[in-house]
Amino acid sequence: MNSVNLVGRTTKDIELKSTQNNISFVQFTLAVNRQFAEQDGTRQADFIQCVVWRKQAENVAQYVHKGDLLGIDGRLQTRTYEVDGQTRYVTEVVCD
């Protein structure tokens, strides 16, 4: 089963984009605090890449802003692409 549930804060304002086929999407980073604090009391965070498609993307772009607390459900996905002859790997959460 490929299921991801996260609660965190957005790291910047979300910008609505569209593909060549006019399918709306947004990409954003979610800062998720780790469960335990360091010995000095500071907390670490993981920065998770997320993507949302179609009508949900339009809603996210309209109502979610930098620093907002956001809960997401989705699935983990990996993909590759090439830049200047080098293969790049991306792991992201596709939100439902």
Side-chain angles (χ1 to χ4, degrees):
M1 178 184 290
N2 184 355
S3 179
V4 175
N5 300 304
L6 299 170
V7 175
R9 297 198 178 270
T10 55
T11 60
K12 60 183 177 180
D13 284 329
I14 296 172
E15 179 183 337
L16 183 65
K17 300 176 184 176
S18 61
T19 65
Q20 294 175 347
N21 297 331
N22 289 329
I23 298 173
S24 301
F25 73 98
V26 293
Q27 291 176 307
F28 60 93
T29 302
L30 197 65
V32 179
N33 284 335
R34 292 187 180 168
Q35 190 172 3
F36 300 102
E38 298 288 329
Q39 288 182 351
D40 63 358
T42 60
R43 288 196 168 254
Q44 298 292 321
D46 294 305
F47 295 88
I48 312 295
Q49 299 296 317
C50 302
V51 63
V52 183
W53 292 94
R54 296 181 174 78
K55 182 64 178 171
Q56 284 182 320
E58 295 171 13
N59 291 336
V60 169
Q62 183 176 359
Y63 296 111
V64 179
H65 303 91
K66 178 181 179 178
D68 285 352
L69 188 64
L70 188 63
I72 62 166
D73 295 319
R75 61 185 165 79
L76 202 57
Q77 176 177 292
T78 59
R79 60 184 170 88
T80 61
Y81 63 95
E82 285 199 21
V83 174
D84 299 329
Q86 292 185 338
T87 302
R88 305 282 174 120
Y89 298 91
V90 177
T91 301
E92 60 195 358
V93 176
V94 179
C95 303
D96 292 331

